[in-house]
Structure formats: structure tokens, C-alpha cells
Amino acid sequence: VIKTDLSKSKIDEVVSIQQLWPQLLKDHDNPINTTIGVMIDENGVVIRPQTIKTSIAETIDNIQASGSLGYPTFRGNTDFLKYSAEWIFGEHDVSWPQSQAIGGTGSLYLASKLLSRVVEAKHILIDSGWDNHKALFSDFIQHEYNRICDGAVGYDHEIYMQELAKLPKDSIVLIQAFGYNGDGFDRSPQELEEVLGVCLKNGHCIVLDAAYLGLASGFSADKEKIQQIIDKGCPTFICLSFSKNMGLYQERLGALFIRNIDSSYADTWQAQIEKISRATYSFVPKLVAESVGRVLSDNNKRLSLEDEIESMRLRLVTNREYLSENLAGIIPNIHKTSGLFIRLKPEGFSKKQTEQLFSQGILALSNSRINLGGIKNSDIARFSNIMKDVLSK
Ligand SMILES: Cc1ncc(COP(=O)(O)O)c(C=O)c1O
């Protein structure tokens, strides 16, 4: 009989708190869930761009009619890889290791497992803020840095650079380049350049977690950050998620692209990625990848998708601007954030504050990280008033 008691094992609050949501839905007409990173519209429906919806519908018919119903290739849908690489990097070079992945999480998983086989220094500096990074890179000795500086939430470049300088040579540096998950404060291109300079000098490998492409500062600006990182020349693992920007939370679509490694290793690394995925989930889903590939392969559809992603981003901007005007006295610098998240209190909410928010129909994490994408534009004034009230007590 197994007698292991797991009651003391740490669990992720983002997961456990969702159990409270059905209660809020029952007790309130219009509750607000600020805890998990989804984007909703004014009807409270999770947003999926129409271009993607249409393509999925067409692709179902196409796949069934085509008769190509067997297993895909081990790396996933090759058209999806081709067209997403062209979309994001402006080129598709099949000689670099690459794979479709089970969401952004899946791409980080592949990166982590491959890195644990190919790097000797098992150290990683994490851009903390998304707890799952710690679980995904559990094979490594993890270094973090303080995001609470001088009593405020945010990114302090000096503190980060000090931590980076302590990292042993040939380590891994995990970077969230845009739409920082924990608090929304991103590095400027100049700050990023300084980080990359140290990484290059010390032989570090970059894992770029790109979960919010297009939703932080717009598609072109976000893409430029990816390019800036690749251009610097460090070995780079680009981990993409299409959950948020394409509304594909349930379908699990992501991709891993590797750049700047010794080209003579590329084939063997590719083989190892395929071995890891085969032993983990065997194959990736075809329908969603083919649907996205079709959109990205067609100039007009791709432009429509980009427009739709931009309107999603503008919803976030509307909420951010309102809060930055109306909560400025309580939380400075909200206007400097981008992406889905902000964090309100360095010390987090007190238990009493989360209870007060809950009693008014707001589900919030204890660390006070708020998903702006989960608040309707028509609810932001109500949200702001409740927050002002609760935080001033
Ligand atoms: C920073 C960050 N990286 C990666 C992911 C993973 O994305 P996915 O849902 O596609 O697995 C998320 C999702 O919330 C995230 O916030």
C-alpha cells in the first residue's frame, strides 16, 4: 500500500484558485476572474480571432477529404513550422532544429529536456514571474533576482545585471522579452542589449519565452525583440505559444525553434527533440497546426489575423490607461507596463483584501497579479472602484 502523503507538497495557486470561480458565477451577475491569462471580449467570451475560427472549419473538411489521416512527421506539421518561421523570423531554414509543440509550455519542456542533455553547467537564471518556469527547469540549479525594488513592483536593471554577472559561464538565461508575465514591466531594447552582451561574453544560452507575441507592444515591436536576441548570436531556443494571441488555449499549439548553434550538431539535436517528444506525447495535433499554417501562408489572411491581434492588444491598452489614470495614487507606473499582466502590491494582497475582493465578485491571486485581459472594458471602472476601496482600507 502506498502511504505517501502529498498534502504538504506545494501546489500552484493559479490552478487551485479556479475551484472558487463556480461559486462567484453563482453568487454574482458579472464576476471578474483576474487570475489566469486569458483574453475575453465584452460578452465575457474568450477571444479567438475570426481568421483562425474560419481556417479551423475549412481545415477540418480539408483533412477529412484529403485522406492523409495517418501520423504526422515527428517534428509536427511542416507547413505550420515553415509559415510561422517566415512570419516571425522572415525566413525558414530547415537546417536549424525545430518542432511543433504542445503549447508554449510544451516548447519550454522540449527546450529544458534538450538543454539538460547538451549543456554542462546546469545553472539557469530565470525571469521569474511565471511559477511554471521553476517546474519546467527543475533539472537545473535555479537563480532568481528581485522584482520588488525600493518597495515597488518592477524591473530593476541594475539588480538583474548583478545577478547575471554571478552566473557561471555557459549557463542558461531564460528571458521573457515582452509582456512580462509577473508584472508587465519589460526591458527596453537598450537594457536587453546589455543583457545579451553579457550572455555572449560568458557563453550563455538563451531560452526566449515568447508567449504574448503581438499582445505586448504590437506585432512588429515584439518581433523586433526576438530578432534582436537572435542577431546577437548566442545559442537561442525560441519557445512560442499561440494560446493567447490566437485564442488556442485548448488546442495546445506552440513551437520550438533553435538558432545559433554549431550547425554540425543540428541533425543530432533534431533527433533528440523528436526522441523527447515521442517518449512524452508521441505526436502533436495536426488540425490546429494545419489551420494556423493556412492562415500564415496566405498574405490576406495573415494581415487580417494581425489586425485582429492588434484589436485584442488595444483592449488591454484601454484597461491599462483607465487604471493608470484612476489608480495612480495607489500604484504608480502602470502606464509603463505591457501585455496582459500588472501587479498591484509588492507585498501582495492580505488575506482580508482577497476576501473583500471575492465578496465583491473579483477573483484575485494573493500576489496581486492581475490579468487585464480577463476584465471587460465595460467593467474596468467597476473593477477600479472596488480596488481603490479595498486597497485604501
Ligand atoms: C510566460 C509564459 N510562458 C509560457 C506560457 C505557456 O503558454 P501555453 O498556455 O501555450 O502553454 C504562459 C502561459 O500562461 C506564460 O504566461
Side-chain angles (χ1 to χ4, degrees):
V1 178
I2 299 171
K3 285 197 172 159
T4 312
D5 176 8
L6 293 180
S7 59
K8 300 266 179 328
S9 303
K10 224 183 137 213
I11 48 169
D12 190 335
E13 192 192 0
V14 174
V15 176
S16 58
I17 202 169
Q18 303 312 322
Q19 292 166 7
L20 301 176
W21 181 238
Q23 186 64 41
L24 277 193
L25 281 171
K26 217 157 86 194
D27 295 349
H28 295 264
D29 283 343
N30 202 4
I32 299 174
N33 188 343
T34 67
T35 61
I36 194 157
V38 291
M39 299 226 24
I40 60 165
D41 66 13
E42 287 309 287
N43 297 315
V45 175
V46 171
I47 304 175
R48 170 173 299 173
Q50 186 56 47
T51 329
I52 298 292
K53 284 186 185 167
T54 308
S55 186
I56 290 176
E58 287 169 2
T59 308
I60 290 175
D61 290 344
N62 198 60
I63 290 176
Q64 312 231 78
S66 74
S68 69
L69 302 175
Y71 288 122
T73 64
F74 284 102
R75 69 180 60 182
N77 187 282
T78 47
D79 275 355
F80 159 72
L81 290 170
K82 171 178 160 51
Y83 294 116
S84 52
E86 284 177 0
W87 187 46
I88 297 164
F89 313 121
E91 48 80 18
H92 177 55
D93 185 343
V94 279
S95 62
W96 293 117
Q98 56 195 275
S99 183
Q100 184 185 329
I102 306 286
T105 307
S107 62
L108 287 159
Y109 177 85
L110 291 177
S112 169
K113 292 299 163 202
L114 180 61
L115 280 164
S116 69
R117 291 174 194 199
V118 297
V119 294
E120 273 170 35
K122 295 274 184 281
H123 290 259
I124 183 167
L125 175 56
I126 288 183
D127 244 353
S128 34
W130 193 53
D131 258 5
N132 218 12
H133 284 144
K134 293 182 199 160
L136 282 161
F137 287 86
S138 59
D139 296 343
F140 296 86
I141 299 159
Q142 303 186 351
H143 302 246
E144 287 187 74
Y145 63 101
N146 201 357
R147 301 272 305 186
I148 310 293
C149 321
D150 296 332
V153 177
Y155 173 68
D156 185 322
H157 188 55
E158 242 175 74
I159 288 184
Y160 181 81
M161 293 304 280
Q162 282 164 13
E163 215 45 61
L164 183 63
K166 291 186 210 154
L167 210 57
K169 284 200 182 322
D170 303 328
S171 290
I172 299 162
V173 174
L174 191 153
I175 293 181
Q176 292 191 51
F178 39 80
Y180 191 91
N181 177 298
D183 53 39
F185 289 98
D186 287 334
R187 294 179 183 87
S188 67
Q190 292 76 2
E191 288 170 340
L192 183 58
E193 199 54 31
E194 280 180 40
V195 172
L196 296 172
V198 174
C199 291
L200 191 65
K201 198 171 103 217
N202 291 332
H204 297 330
C205 171
I206 310 268
V207 173
L208 166 58
D209 181 0
Y212 303 101
L213 184 61
L215 295 174
S217 301
F219 183 68
S220 302
D222 293 349
K223 213 172 64 159
E224 268 171 35
K225 286 241 178 99
I226 297 182
Q227 205 53 51
Q228 183 185 357
I229 293 173
I230 294 172
D231 288 349
K232 196 70 187 182
C234 304
T236 303
F237 286 52
I238 304 118
C239 300
L240 295 161
S241 163
F242 297 92
S243 301
K244 275 86 179 176
N245 55 10
M246 298 196 190
L248 295 169
Y249 305 89
Q250 300 185 13
E251 285 69 14
R252 315 310 299 135
L253 185 65
L256 169 67
F257 289 99
I258 301 178
R259 292 286 188 275
N260 302 330
I261 60 163
D262 183 333
S263 57
S264 64
Y265 293 156
D267 285 350
T268 54
W269 286 31
Q270 180 68 42
Q272 287 306 309
I273 294 173
E274 293 177 11
K275 189 172 168 198
I276 295 162
S277 54
R278 183 130 199 255
T280 315
Y281 44 76
S282 195
F283 289 96
V284 281
K286 175 182 167 103
L287 172 60
V288 67
E290 189 164 323
S291 308
V292 168
R294 282 162 158 266
V295 169
L296 297 179
S297 69
D298 177 311
N299 218 20
N300 289 333
K301 290 182 186 162
R302 185 176 45 74
L303 290 174
S304 304
L305 173 67
E306 286 178 18
D307 281 349
E308 290 188 86
I309 295 175
E310 180 60 8
S311 346
M312 289 159 76
R313 191 181 77 84
L314 293 177
R315 296 183 61 75
L316 299 170
V317 171
T318 300
N319 283 351
R320 175 173 287 106
E321 283 177 352
Y322 189 93
L323 293 185
S324 116
E325 259 176 50
N326 289 281
L327 292 184
I330 304 174
I331 313 122
N333 291 335
I334 292 185
H335 62 282
K336 291 190 183 159
T337 60
S338 70
L340 274 68
F341 299 102
I342 56 171
R343 187 169 163 197
L344 299 183
K345 305 282 288 174
E347 68 280 21
F349 294 135
S350 66
K351 191 158 184 288
K352 194 164 163 216
Q353 285 169 331
T354 31
E355 282 166 7
Q356 283 168 342
L357 291 169
F358 190 78
S359 71
Q360 305 212 49
I362 295 180
L363 192 64
L365 292 172
S366 57
N367 70 3
S368 79
R369 190 197 71 165
I370 301 291
N371 168 30
L372 294 177
I375 309 173
K376 297 173 197 165
N377 289 160
S378 56
D379 277 340
I380 194 68
R382 177 166 64 99
F383 171 84
S384 173
N385 287 338
I386 295 174
M387 212 36 100
K388 217 187 267 180
D389 183 47
V390 167
L391 294 185
S392 61
K393 277 181 189 154

PDB file of all heavy atoms in Angstrom, residues 144-172:
ATOM      1  N   GLU A 144      17.498  33.407  -9.263  1.00  0.00           N
ATOM      2  CA  GLU A 144      16.437  34.393  -9.495  1.00  0.00           C
ATOM      3  C   GLU A 144      16.931  35.774  -9.101  1.00  0.00           C
ATOM      4  O   GLU A 144      18.020  35.923  -8.557  1.00  0.00           O
ATOM      5  CB  GLU A 144      15.213  34.042  -8.649  1.00  0.00           C
ATOM      6  CG  GLU A 144      14.462  32.831  -9.180  1.00  0.00           C
ATOM      7  CD  GLU A 144      13.169  32.620  -8.434  1.00  0.00           C
ATOM      8  OE1 GLU A 144      12.221  33.384  -8.666  1.00  0.00           O
ATOM      9  OE2 GLU A 144      13.125  31.703  -7.588  1.00  0.00           O
ATOM     10  N   TYR A 145      16.151  36.776  -9.311  1.00  0.00           N
ATOM     11  CA  TYR A 145      16.512  38.132  -8.895  1.00  0.00           C
ATOM     12  C   TYR A 145      15.247  38.810  -8.403  1.00  0.00           C
ATOM     13  O   TYR A 145      14.142  38.343  -8.662  1.00  0.00           O
ATOM     14  CB  TYR A 145      17.158  38.903 -10.058  1.00  0.00           C
ATOM     15  CG  TYR A 145      16.222  39.098 -11.220  1.00  0.00           C
ATOM     16  CD1 TYR A 145      15.557  40.308 -11.436  1.00  0.00           C
ATOM     17  CD2 TYR A 145      15.960  38.052 -12.110  1.00  0.00           C
ATOM     18  CE1 TYR A 145      14.686  40.469 -12.498  1.00  0.00           C
ATOM     19  CE2 TYR A 145      15.079  38.202 -13.166  1.00  0.00           C
ATOM     20  CZ  TYR A 145      14.448  39.414 -13.352  1.00  0.00           C
ATOM     21  OH  TYR A 145      13.567  39.569 -14.385  1.00  0.00           O
ATOM     22  N   ASN A 146      15.465  39.912  -7.704  1.00  0.00           N
ATOM     23  CA  ASN A 146      14.342  40.559  -7.033  1.00  0.00           C
ATOM     24  C   ASN A 146      13.540  41.455  -7.982  1.00  0.00           C
ATOM     25  O   ASN A 146      14.114  42.326  -8.632  1.00  0.00           O
ATOM     26  CB  ASN A 146      14.909  41.402  -5.882  1.00  0.00           C
ATOM     27  CG  ASN A 146      13.868  41.687  -4.850  1.00  0.00           C
ATOM     28  OD1 ASN A 146      12.709  41.306  -5.018  1.00  0.00           O
ATOM     29  ND2 ASN A 146      14.269  42.363  -3.792  1.00  0.00           N
ATOM     30  N   ARG A 147      12.237  41.229  -8.043  1.00  0.00           N
ATOM     31  CA  ARG A 147      11.392  42.136  -8.846  1.00  0.00           C
ATOM     32  C   ARG A 147      10.684  43.146  -7.949  1.00  0.00           C
ATOM     33  O   ARG A 147       9.824  43.888  -8.417  1.00  0.00           O
ATOM     34  CB  ARG A 147      10.338  41.371  -9.662  1.00  0.00           C
ATOM     35  CG  ARG A 147      10.852  40.357 -10.635  1.00  0.00           C
ATOM     36  CD  ARG A 147      11.194  40.829 -12.009  1.00  0.00           C
ATOM     37  NE  ARG A 147      10.219  41.522 -12.791  1.00  0.00           N
ATOM     38  CZ  ARG A 147      10.415  41.862 -14.072  1.00  0.00           C
ATOM     39  NH1 ARG A 147      11.537  41.549 -14.686  1.00  0.00           N
ATOM     40  NH2 ARG A 147       9.502  42.524 -14.739  1.00  0.00           N
ATOM     41  N   ILE A 148      11.004  43.142  -6.686  1.00  0.00           N
ATOM     42  CA  ILE A 148      10.457  44.174  -5.795  1.00  0.00           C
ATOM     43  C   ILE A 148      11.637  45.052  -5.399  1.00  0.00           C
ATOM     44  O   ILE A 148      12.519  44.631  -4.662  1.00  0.00           O
ATOM     45  CB  ILE A 148       9.838  43.557  -4.514  1.00  0.00           C
ATOM     46  CG1 ILE A 148       8.869  42.426  -4.854  1.00  0.00           C
ATOM     47  CG2 ILE A 148       9.194  44.617  -3.632  1.00  0.00           C
ATOM     48  CD1 ILE A 148       7.626  42.842  -5.573  1.00  0.00           C
ATOM     49  N   CYS A 149      11.677  46.265  -5.924  1.00  0.00           N
ATOM     50  CA  CYS A 149      12.849  47.092  -5.721  1.00  0.00           C
ATOM     51  C   CYS A 149      12.418  48.427  -5.115  1.00  0.00           C
ATOM     52  O   CYS A 149      11.490  49.053  -5.630  1.00  0.00           O
ATOM     53  CB  CYS A 149      13.530  47.354  -7.044  1.00  0.00           C
ATOM     54  SG  CYS A 149      13.525  45.921  -8.114  1.00  0.00           S
ATOM     55  N   ASP A 150      13.075  48.826  -4.056  1.00  0.00           N
ATOM     56  CA  ASP A 150      12.709  50.060  -3.359  1.00  0.00           C
ATOM     57  C   ASP A 150      11.218  50.104  -3.063  1.00  0.00           C
ATOM     58  O   ASP A 150      10.544  51.118  -3.285  1.00  0.00           O
ATOM     59  CB  ASP A 150      13.085  51.306  -4.193  1.00  0.00           C
ATOM     60  CG  ASP A 150      14.585  51.408  -4.389  1.00  0.00           C
ATOM     61  OD1 ASP A 150      15.302  50.909  -3.497  1.00  0.00           O
ATOM     62  OD2 ASP A 150      15.010  51.948  -5.421  1.00  0.00           O
ATOM     63  N   GLY A 151      10.687  49.004  -2.633  1.00  0.00           N
ATOM     64  CA  GLY A 151       9.290  48.968  -2.211  1.00  0.00           C
ATOM     65  C   GLY A 151       8.282  48.925  -3.345  1.00  0.00           C
ATOM     66  O   GLY A 151       7.082  48.884  -3.104  1.00  0.00           O
ATOM     67  N   ALA A 152       8.736  48.945  -4.598  1.00  0.00           N
ATOM     68  CA  ALA A 152       7.771  48.929  -5.709  1.00  0.00           C
ATOM     69  C   ALA A 152       7.971  47.697  -6.581  1.00  0.00           C
ATOM     70  O   ALA A 152       9.065  47.136  -6.644  1.00  0.00           O
ATOM     71  CB  ALA A 152       7.937  50.193  -6.546  1.00  0.00           C
ATOM     72  N   VAL A 153       6.889  47.302  -7.245  1.00  0.00           N
ATOM     73  CA  VAL A 153       6.982  46.188  -8.187  1.00  0.00           C
ATOM     74  C   VAL A 153       7.628  46.707  -9.458  1.00  0.00           C
ATOM     75  O   VAL A 153       7.327  47.809  -9.897  1.00  0.00           O
ATOM     76  CB  VAL A 153       5.560  45.688  -8.559  1.00  0.00           C
ATOM     77  CG1 VAL A 153       5.642  44.580  -9.590  1.00  0.00           C
ATOM     78  CG2 VAL A 153       4.808  45.227  -7.331  1.00  0.00           C
ATOM     79  N   GLY A 154       8.512  45.923 -10.072  1.00  0.00           N
ATOM     80  CA  GLY A 154       9.041  46.367 -11.361  1.00  0.00           C
ATOM     81  C   GLY A 154      10.348  45.712 -11.706  1.00  0.00           C
ATOM     82  O   GLY A 154      10.832  44.843 -10.986  1.00  0.00           O
ATOM     83  N   TYR A 155      10.915  46.145 -12.808  1.00  0.00           N
ATOM     84  CA  TYR A 155      12.185  45.593 -13.260  1.00  0.00           C
ATOM     85  C   TYR A 155      13.285  46.579 -12.937  1.00  0.00           C
ATOM     86  O   TYR A 155      13.251  47.727 -13.384  1.00  0.00           O
ATOM     87  CB  TYR A 155      12.129  45.338 -14.769  1.00  0.00           C
ATOM     88  CG  TYR A 155      13.467  44.923 -15.342  1.00  0.00           C
ATOM     89  CD1 TYR A 155      14.018  43.682 -15.010  1.00  0.00           C
ATOM     90  CD2 TYR A 155      14.193  45.770 -16.180  1.00  0.00           C
ATOM     91  CE1 TYR A 155      15.250  43.295 -15.518  1.00  0.00           C
ATOM     92  CE2 TYR A 155      15.424  45.392 -16.699  1.00  0.00           C
ATOM     93  CZ  TYR A 155      15.944  44.151 -16.358  1.00  0.00           C
ATOM     94  OH  TYR A 155      17.165  43.766 -16.853  1.00  0.00           O
ATOM     95  N   ASP A 156      14.251  46.138 -12.136  1.00  0.00           N
ATOM     96  CA  ASP A 156      15.397  46.979 -11.823  1.00  0.00           C
ATOM     97  C   ASP A 156      16.596  46.384 -12.559  1.00  0.00           C
ATOM     98  O   ASP A 156      17.110  45.322 -12.191  1.00  0.00           O
ATOM     99  CB  ASP A 156      15.607  46.998 -10.305  1.00  0.00           C
ATOM    100  CG  ASP A 156      16.717  47.955  -9.907  1.00  0.00           C
ATOM    101  OD1 ASP A 156      17.722  48.030 -10.642  1.00  0.00           O
ATOM    102  OD2 ASP A 156      16.582  48.627  -8.862  1.00  0.00           O
ATOM    103  N   HIS A 157      17.022  47.084 -13.588  1.00  0.00           N
ATOM    104  CA  HIS A 157      18.052  46.542 -14.475  1.00  0.00           C
ATOM    105  C   HIS A 157      19.365  46.274 -13.741  1.00  0.00           C
ATOM    106  O   HIS A 157      20.038  45.277 -13.984  1.00  0.00           O
ATOM    107  CB  HIS A 157      18.247  47.530 -15.630  1.00  0.00           C
ATOM    108  CG  HIS A 157      19.127  47.007 -16.713  1.00  0.00           C
ATOM    109  ND1 HIS A 157      18.883  45.810 -17.347  1.00  0.00           N
ATOM    110  CD2 HIS A 157      20.275  47.512 -17.268  1.00  0.00           C
ATOM    111  CE1 HIS A 157      19.834  45.600 -18.261  1.00  0.00           C
ATOM    112  NE2 HIS A 157      20.678  46.610 -18.216  1.00  0.00           N
ATOM    113  N   GLU A 158      19.697  47.187 -12.812  1.00  0.00           N
ATOM    114  CA  GLU A 158      20.965  47.014 -12.087  1.00  0.00           C
ATOM    115  C   GLU A 158      20.976  45.725 -11.276  1.00  0.00           C
ATOM    116  O   GLU A 158      21.943  44.971 -11.274  1.00  0.00           O
ATOM    117  CB  GLU A 158      21.144  48.187 -11.126  1.00  0.00           C
ATOM    118  CG  GLU A 158      22.367  49.010 -11.440  1.00  0.00           C
ATOM    119  CD  GLU A 158      22.415  50.224 -10.540  1.00  0.00           C
ATOM    120  OE1 GLU A 158      22.719  50.045  -9.353  1.00  0.00           O
ATOM    121  OE2 GLU A 158      22.118  51.332 -11.039  1.00  0.00           O
ATOM    122  N   ILE A 159      19.857  45.484 -10.591  1.00  0.00           N
ATOM    123  CA  ILE A 159      19.762  44.264  -9.786  1.00  0.00           C
ATOM    124  C   ILE A 159      19.878  43.034 -10.687  1.00  0.00           C
ATOM    125  O   ILE A 159      20.578  42.069 -10.377  1.00  0.00           O
ATOM    126  CB  ILE A 159      18.426  44.239  -9.004  1.00  0.00           C
ATOM    127  CG1 ILE A 159      18.494  45.271  -7.878  1.00  0.00           C
ATOM    128  CG2 ILE A 159      18.120  42.854  -8.441  1.00  0.00           C
ATOM    129  CD1 ILE A 159      17.303  45.288  -6.965  1.00  0.00           C
ATOM    130  N   TYR A 160      19.216  43.089 -11.832  1.00  0.00           N
ATOM    131  CA  TYR A 160      19.274  41.948 -12.752  1.00  0.00           C
ATOM    132  C   TYR A 160      20.710  41.714 -13.225  1.00  0.00           C
ATOM    133  O   TYR A 160      21.205  40.582 -13.224  1.00  0.00           O
ATOM    134  CB  TYR A 160      18.356  42.171 -13.962  1.00  0.00           C
ATOM    135  CG  TYR A 160      18.399  40.994 -14.909  1.00  0.00           C
ATOM    136  CD1 TYR A 160      17.652  39.842 -14.658  1.00  0.00           C
ATOM    137  CD2 TYR A 160      19.234  41.003 -16.028  1.00  0.00           C
ATOM    138  CE1 TYR A 160      17.727  38.741 -15.500  1.00  0.00           C
ATOM    139  CE2 TYR A 160      19.308  39.913 -16.872  1.00  0.00           C
ATOM    140  CZ  TYR A 160      18.551  38.788 -16.611  1.00  0.00           C
ATOM    141  OH  TYR A 160      18.636  37.686 -17.442  1.00  0.00           O
ATOM    142  N   MET A 161      21.380  42.804 -13.611  1.00  0.00           N
ATOM    143  CA  MET A 161      22.739  42.668 -14.152  1.00  0.00           C
ATOM    144  C   MET A 161      23.692  42.106 -13.093  1.00  0.00           C
ATOM    145  O   MET A 161      24.609  41.354 -13.415  1.00  0.00           O
ATOM    146  CB  MET A 161      23.245  44.019 -14.681  1.00  0.00           C
ATOM    147  CG  MET A 161      22.492  44.524 -15.899  1.00  0.00           C
ATOM    148  SD  MET A 161      22.468  43.377 -17.292  1.00  0.00           S
ATOM    149  CE  MET A 161      24.083  43.649 -18.007  1.00  0.00           C
ATOM    150  N   GLN A 162      23.448  42.475 -11.836  1.00  0.00           N
ATOM    151  CA  GLN A 162      24.304  41.933 -10.771  1.00  0.00           C
ATOM    152  C   GLN A 162      24.127  40.416 -10.678  1.00  0.00           C
ATOM    153  O   GLN A 162      25.083  39.659 -10.526  1.00  0.00           O
ATOM    154  CB  GLN A 162      23.923  42.552  -9.421  1.00  0.00           C
ATOM    155  CG  GLN A 162      24.462  43.957  -9.236  1.00  0.00           C
ATOM    156  CD  GLN A 162      23.776  44.696  -8.091  1.00  0.00           C
ATOM    157  OE1 GLN A 162      23.068  44.098  -7.277  1.00  0.00           O
ATOM    158  NE2 GLN A 162      23.969  46.005  -8.040  1.00  0.00           N
ATOM    159  N   GLU A 163      22.898  39.976 -10.772  1.00  0.00           N
ATOM    160  CA  GLU A 163      22.612  38.544 -10.680  1.00  0.00           C
ATOM    161  C   GLU A 163      23.194  37.809 -11.891  1.00  0.00           C
ATOM    162  O   GLU A 163      23.757  36.718 -11.771  1.00  0.00           O
ATOM    163  CB  GLU A 163      21.084  38.357 -10.619  1.00  0.00           C
ATOM    164  CG  GLU A 163      20.578  37.245  -9.763  1.00  0.00           C
ATOM    165  CD  GLU A 163      21.220  37.109  -8.399  1.00  0.00           C
ATOM    166  OE1 GLU A 163      21.129  38.059  -7.601  1.00  0.00           O
ATOM    167  OE2 GLU A 163      21.815  36.041  -8.139  1.00  0.00           O
ATOM    168  N   LEU A 164      23.055  38.438 -13.051  1.00  0.00           N
ATOM    169  CA  LEU A 164      23.568  37.835 -14.295  1.00  0.00           C
ATOM    170  C   LEU A 164      25.085  37.668 -14.209  1.00  0.00           C
ATOM    171  O   LEU A 164      25.638  36.659 -14.667  1.00  0.00           O
ATOM    172  CB  LEU A 164      23.180  38.740 -15.482  1.00  0.00           C
ATOM    173  CG  LEU A 164      23.549  38.279 -16.886  1.00  0.00           C
ATOM    174  CD1 LEU A 164      22.835  36.971 -17.237  1.00  0.00           C
ATOM    175  CD2 LEU A 164      23.165  39.351 -17.927  1.00  0.00           C
ATOM    176  N   ALA A 165      25.744  38.665 -13.612  1.00  0.00           N
ATOM    177  CA  ALA A 165      27.208  38.616 -13.515  1.00  0.00           C
ATOM    178  C   ALA A 165      27.673  37.450 -12.642  1.00  0.00           C
ATOM    179  O   ALA A 165      28.778  36.939 -12.801  1.00  0.00           O
ATOM    180  CB  ALA A 165      27.730  39.937 -12.956  1.00  0.00           C
ATOM    181  N   LYS A 166      26.804  37.025 -11.708  1.00  0.00           N
ATOM    182  CA  LYS A 166      27.204  35.934 -10.795  1.00  0.00           C
ATOM    183  C   LYS A 166      27.078  34.556 -11.435  1.00  0.00           C
ATOM    184  O   LYS A 166      27.532  33.565 -10.891  1.00  0.00           O
ATOM    185  CB  LYS A 166      26.297  35.953  -9.552  1.00  0.00           C
ATOM    186  CG  LYS A 166      26.510  37.126  -8.640  1.00  0.00           C
ATOM    187  CD  LYS A 166      25.645  36.906  -7.388  1.00  0.00           C
ATOM    188  CE  LYS A 166      25.200  38.216  -6.777  1.00  0.00           C
ATOM    189  NZ  LYS A 166      23.963  38.110  -6.016  1.00  0.00           N
ATOM    190  N   LEU A 167      26.418  34.480 -12.565  1.00  0.00           N
ATOM    191  CA  LEU A 167      26.110  33.185 -13.179  1.00  0.00           C
ATOM    192  C   LEU A 167      27.385  32.534 -13.732  1.00  0.00           C
ATOM    193  O   LEU A 167      28.157  33.205 -14.414  1.00  0.00           O
ATOM    194  CB  LEU A 167      25.108  33.440 -14.311  1.00  0.00           C
ATOM    195  CG  LEU A 167      24.111  32.372 -14.684  1.00  0.00           C
ATOM    196  CD1 LEU A 167      23.252  31.970 -13.498  1.00  0.00           C
ATOM    197  CD2 LEU A 167      23.224  32.879 -15.827  1.00  0.00           C
ATOM    198  N   PRO A 168      27.604  31.228 -13.456  1.00  0.00           N
ATOM    199  CA  PRO A 168      28.788  30.572 -14.036  1.00  0.00           C
ATOM    200  C   PRO A 168      28.751  30.618 -15.561  1.00  0.00           C
ATOM    201  O   PRO A 168      27.664  30.700 -16.148  1.00  0.00           O
ATOM    202  CB  PRO A 168      28.664  29.118 -13.555  1.00  0.00           C
ATOM    203  CG  PRO A 168      27.647  29.111 -12.483  1.00  0.00           C
ATOM    204  CD  PRO A 168      26.781  30.316 -12.668  1.00  0.00           C
ATOM    205  N   LYS A 169      29.919  30.546 -16.168  1.00  0.00           N
ATOM    206  CA  LYS A 169      29.976  30.557 -17.648  1.00  0.00           C
ATOM    207  C   LYS A 169      29.150  29.413 -18.231  1.00  0.00           C
ATOM    208  O   LYS A 169      28.941  28.389 -17.586  1.00  0.00           O
ATOM    209  CB  LYS A 169      31.433  30.404 -18.097  1.00  0.00           C
ATOM    210  CG  LYS A 169      32.229  31.684 -17.925  1.00  0.00           C
ATOM    211  CD  LYS A 169      33.481  31.663 -18.800  1.00  0.00           C
ATOM    212  CE  LYS A 169      34.359  32.878 -18.649  1.00  0.00           C
ATOM    213  NZ  LYS A 169      33.768  34.163 -18.473  1.00  0.00           N
ATOM    214  N   ASP A 170      28.709  29.582 -19.459  1.00  0.00           N
ATOM    215  CA  ASP A 170      27.961  28.547 -20.204  1.00  0.00           C
ATOM    216  C   ASP A 170      26.659  28.143 -19.512  1.00  0.00           C
ATOM    217  O   ASP A 170      26.275  26.965 -19.540  1.00  0.00           O
ATOM    218  CB  ASP A 170      28.827  27.287 -20.418  1.00  0.00           C
ATOM    219  CG  ASP A 170      30.115  27.611 -21.149  1.00  0.00           C
ATOM    220  OD1 ASP A 170      30.095  28.532 -21.972  1.00  0.00           O
ATOM    221  OD2 ASP A 170      31.137  26.956 -20.885  1.00  0.00           O
ATOM    222  N   SER A 171      26.024  29.084 -18.856  1.00  0.00           N
ATOM    223  CA  SER A 171      24.740  28.792 -18.205  1.00  0.00           C
ATOM    224  C   SER A 171      23.593  29.080 -19.169  1.00  0.00           C
ATOM    225  O   SER A 171      23.803  29.436 -20.335  1.00  0.00           O
ATOM    226  CB  SER A 171      24.566  29.681 -16.963  1.00  0.00           C
ATOM    227  OG  SER A 171      25.451  29.285 -15.959  1.00  0.00           O
ATOM    228  N   ILE A 172      22.389  28.956 -18.636  1.00  0.00           N
ATOM    229  CA  ILE A 172      21.191  29.264 -19.426  1.00  0.00           C
ATOM    230  C   ILE A 172      20.540  30.515 -18.849  1.00  0.00           C
ATOM    231  O   ILE A 172      20.463  30.670 -17.629  1.00  0.00           O
ATOM    232  CB  ILE A 172      20.195  28.090 -19.351  1.00  0.00           C
ATOM    233  CG1 ILE A 172      20.857  26.837 -19.938  1.00  0.00           C
ATOM    234  CG2 ILE A 172      18.908  28.398 -20.094  1.00  0.00           C
ATOM    235  CD1 ILE A 172      20.154  25.577 -19.535  1.00  0.00           C
TER     236      ILE A 172
END
